[in-house]
Amino acid sequence: CWEASTRDANGKLTANATRFPSGMAALADHIHSLGLGFGIYSDEGTKTCGGYPGSKGYEEIDAETFAQWGVDYLKLDGCYNDKDGYVQGYPAMGKALAKSGRNITYSCSWPAYLGDNETAKDFGAMVEAGCNLWRNWDDIDNSWSSVVSIMDHWGDYGPTLQKASGPGHWNDMDMILVGDDHYGKMLSIDEAKSQFAIWSICASPLIMSNDLRTVPDEYREILLNKDVIAVNQDPLGKQGLRLTKKGDHEVWYRELSPLASNVSRVAVALLNKLGNSTATLFV
């Protein structure tokens, strides 16, 4: 964790001095010098999920602090708060970020704390709060079964999630595990390709969870696949859907922006969840 265990005398968040002795602004400068964006984590609660100071009641001062540090992306979690608190807190941070003078992408965990039923979530309120993306559901872990559970959830609630998603406000399926070796495990190449493809069909943000310094070449090739990335970044911004019933073998599709001649385009993904066998799918 990046934070110190307490705020300073002025109520500001400060960095862990042992881990970041030069401070967060210096870290941001270094990250920016590498051509990268600087993302940071906080929580719309009294504490973060790790027990560090949260942003509840400190939205304005924290947004100002993040802007001064050069933050480009804020992930705001939802531990140590409740549903009523989210209704007040997430919009408060959204307003504070808008006033900060810096363009900070705002990732809200609001809907992830509202249960499994996506049809019961007020995504309009999240857009109104300024959320640019939101974590909808369970945390991913470094396993194929976790990836499949998220695919199933998106397939089951596809029409509802499709209506909520669009340019400037996206459903976040959670991290890309391609090349991630946490806990001594790694997705197979086919599993990694499948995750990257379905996340792109679903217009989910592609947020890598791997160590950029040690990505194996075969996984790096997946992450740099320009054709799949083009599907993910298609300017129409329409989320794709599962076409077939949930099962071991599925067909997914996404409507893409038309060509200059107004020719319609669709991206199609054929998914084999079993991985250890071949299958014939018809579209």
Side-chain angles (χ1 to χ4, degrees), residues 245-275:
K245 293 181 179 179
K246 179 165 58 180
D248 293 334
H249 308 110
E250 298 171 351
V251 178
W252 293 66
Y253 77 101
R254 178 178 175 181
E255 295 178 49
L256 303 178
S257 55
L259 297 175
S261 56
N262 290 323
V263 175
S264 298
R265 298 187 302 150
V266 177
V268 177
L270 308 181
L271 176 63
N272 178 5
K273 293 180 186 172
L274 297 180

Side-chain angles (χ1 to χ4, degrees), residues 119-146:
T119 66
K121 300 175 184 179
D122 187 356
F123 292 109
M126 297 164 201
V127 175
E128 187 70 22
C131 301
N132 301 121
L133 64 156
W134 45 71
R135 280 287 317 287
N136 298 69
W137 197 55
D138 283 353
D139 290 346
I140 201 168
D141 65 42
N142 201 9
S143 69
W144 178 239
S145 61
S146 176

